[in-house]
Amino acid sequence: MYQVIVKMQLELDRLSKVNKELSHRNRYLQKQLYTLVEEKSDLQANIQNQQKECVDLQAQLSIAVKENMDLSSVEDQKKLDLQGKLIISLDDPNRPRFTLDELRHILFERNDLKAKISDLEDELSLHKPKNLTSSTSCSTISTGAEEEDLPVQGPINKEPEDKLYPEKKKLGIRRFFPSVTWPKLM
């Protein structure tokens, strides 16, 4: 019986060692399991955060795409609006001061005024006496009795420059810009 007791004692020692190893291994695996569970929950939280960020980024991307389309359509409209138009720098001393419509209006107004002047000159020539000179007409009006022509006395008045050189006459738009040197018309 002593041998059986010794065998049992040895078996008991061996089982206690195995038990200690297994309990130690059990604690190690439980710690590892606890760590893995924590890591899993952290990863799931990260995944949820990243999904939320993806949704937010997709929303921002759709807004940016819409704004980009709006801007490109506005730029296209601006390009269409500027097509055929002249862009002028305000610092340029040689830039046009008037629009084409304003210049047309001024030219039409000048032509109308010229036509009215011509009509008035024609009407004036109809009402002006033809056979009287300026010196006799004054004496006739002042005396009223004499109708005979008197000889001209004194120096003859000089003809006006405008009558002698009509091309020098500043007509139309030239009177608005006296400082501009205009080319001579032939």
Side-chain angles (χ1 to χ4, degrees):
M1 229 168 134
Y2 179 69
Q3 287 183 352
V4 173
I5 294 177
V6 171
K7 277 187 172 183
M8 299 256 298
Q9 188 68 32
L10 285 176
E11 188 66 27
L12 185 63
D13 286 339
R14 189 184 66 80
L15 285 175
S16 74
K17 280 184 183 179
V18 169
N19 190 21
K20 280 184 184 180
E21 284 180 18
L22 287 176
S23 67
H24 178 68
R25 188 170 177 170
N26 189 20
R27 274 185 262 130
Y28 174 76
L29 289 175
Q30 283 180 347
K31 285 181 183 179
Q32 196 175 21
L33 180 67
Y34 179 72
T35 306
L36 289 175
V37 168
E38 282 183 357
E39 286 179 7
K40 180 184 173 189
S41 64
D42 289 343
L43 289 174
Q44 285 178 340
N46 285 339
I47 288 173
Q48 288 176 349
N49 288 338
Q50 287 178 353
Q51 287 176 344
K52 183 180 176 186
E53 287 177 6
C54 282
V55 169
D56 291 343
L57 287 174
Q58 285 177 346
Q60 288 176 356
L61 178 65
S62 65
I63 291 170
V65 166
K66 183 179 176 187
E67 288 175 353
N68 187 18
M69 291 175 63
D70 292 343
L71 286 175
S72 65
S73 66
V74 167
E75 287 177 2
D76 290 342
Q77 288 176 353
K78 283 183 181 179
K79 285 179 185 176
L80 293 176
D81 291 344
L82 293 178
Q83 192 174 17
K85 294 185 179 178
L86 180 64
I87 299 174
I88 299 170
S89 171
L90 295 177
D91 298 333
D92 184 14
N94 296 327
R95 73 179 188 278
R97 303 293 196 273
F98 298 98
T99 64
L100 191 59
D101 290 335
E102 289 172 335
L103 288 175
R104 280 188 187 134
H105 178 72
I106 289 172
L107 289 174
F108 284 130
E109 186 177 342
R110 181 198 68 159
N111 291 340
D112 288 342
L113 291 174
K114 274 186 165 184
K116 286 180 183 178
I117 288 173
S118 175
D119 292 343
L120 289 174
E121 285 175 347
D122 291 344
E123 189 176 332
L124 183 63
S125 67
L126 289 176
H127 294 295
K128 195 177 198 183
K130 292 181 182 177
N131 59 358
L132 297 178
T133 60
S134 62
S135 63
T136 57
S137 63
C138 291
S139 64
T140 307
I141 292 172
S142 61
T143 59
E146 277 185 64
E147 287 191 25
E148 89 182 50
D149 291 335
L150 297 175
V152 177
Q153 296 179 359
I156 299 175
N157 291 337
K158 195 184 227 186
E159 289 289 327
E161 290 283 326
D162 295 339
K163 190 172 183 184
L164 292 175
Y165 304 103
E167 65 273 0
K168 285 188 175 180
K169 190 175 178 182
K170 290 185 178 179
L171 295 175
I173 201 163
R174 293 182 184 202
R175 62 185 153 169
F176 294 114
F177 302 103
S179 63
V180 176
T181 56
W182 294 92
K184 294 192 177 205
L185 300 174
M186 295 286 164

